Amino acid sequence: MEHDIRNKIIIILSYLLIWALAMIVFWFFTSGSDAMGYSLMYLWIILPVTTFVESVLIGKNDFFGKGKWGFTLFFGLMYMLAEYGTFKMANNIASNKLNAPDFGMIVAGVIISAIGILLGSLWKKKH
């Protein structure tokens, strides 16, 4: 039981660490000319792959029981916040106005996570 709780915490904290690293890299280590590379690397590769892998692990280990499906919303929100906390926020600052988040990013994150949890759950049933 204690081992299970520790693994759940590790799963969530590892995702949050990678997500925070993406924010730090954007704000402290990129310039305007790096925008395309950053977007491809973090928003289109690292965060979706991390979401998928973490979701597979949640499904495979049946973490949180039926509540594991609620994590699809968590991952979707975090994916949207990654885009909002980088490019949208930079635009907000540069234009001195407040842009709304792209809620479609939530759907993308939810879909990536749901596929991962489904595959992880199927993997668990196979073994």
Side-chain angles (χ1 to χ4, degrees), residues 20-120:
L21 183 64
M23 298 297 107
I24 291 166
V25 167
F26 180 85
W27 287 106
F28 296 104
F29 300 105
T30 60
S31 65
S33 62
D34 300 327
M36 180 64 82
Y38 175 89
S39 180
L40 286 172
M41 191 61 139
Y42 285 91
L43 297 180
W44 294 101
I45 297 173
I46 292 174
L47 288 175
V49 167
T50 302
T51 296
F52 179 77
V53 169
E54 300 267 336
S55 296
V56 167
L57 292 172
I58 288 171
K60 180 183 176 289
N61 294 299
D62 196 31
F63 288 155
F64 313 104
K66 291 187 190 299
K68 69 181 166 264
W69 295 102
F71 274 88
T72 61
L73 185 57
F74 166 76
F75 287 122
L77 284 169
M78 294 304 289
Y79 190 54
M80 181 271 296
L81 287 173
E83 192 263 344
Y84 189 77
T86 54
F87 292 105
K88 286 270 170 105
M89 195 56 63
N91 185 271
N92 289 346
I93 292 167
S95 64
N96 201 25
K97 65 177 187 169
L98 188 60
N99 295 303
D102 179 1
F103 293 107
M105 297 289 284
I106 295 174
V107 175
V110 165
I111 290 170
I112 293 166
S113 179
I115 291 169
I117 289 175
L118 179 63
L119 290 176

Side-chain angles (χ1 to χ4, degrees), residues 10-22:
I10 289 170
I11 288 283
I12 301 308
L13 288 180
S14 63
Y15 179 83
L16 291 173
L17 179 66
I18 292 167
W19 186 91
L21 183 64

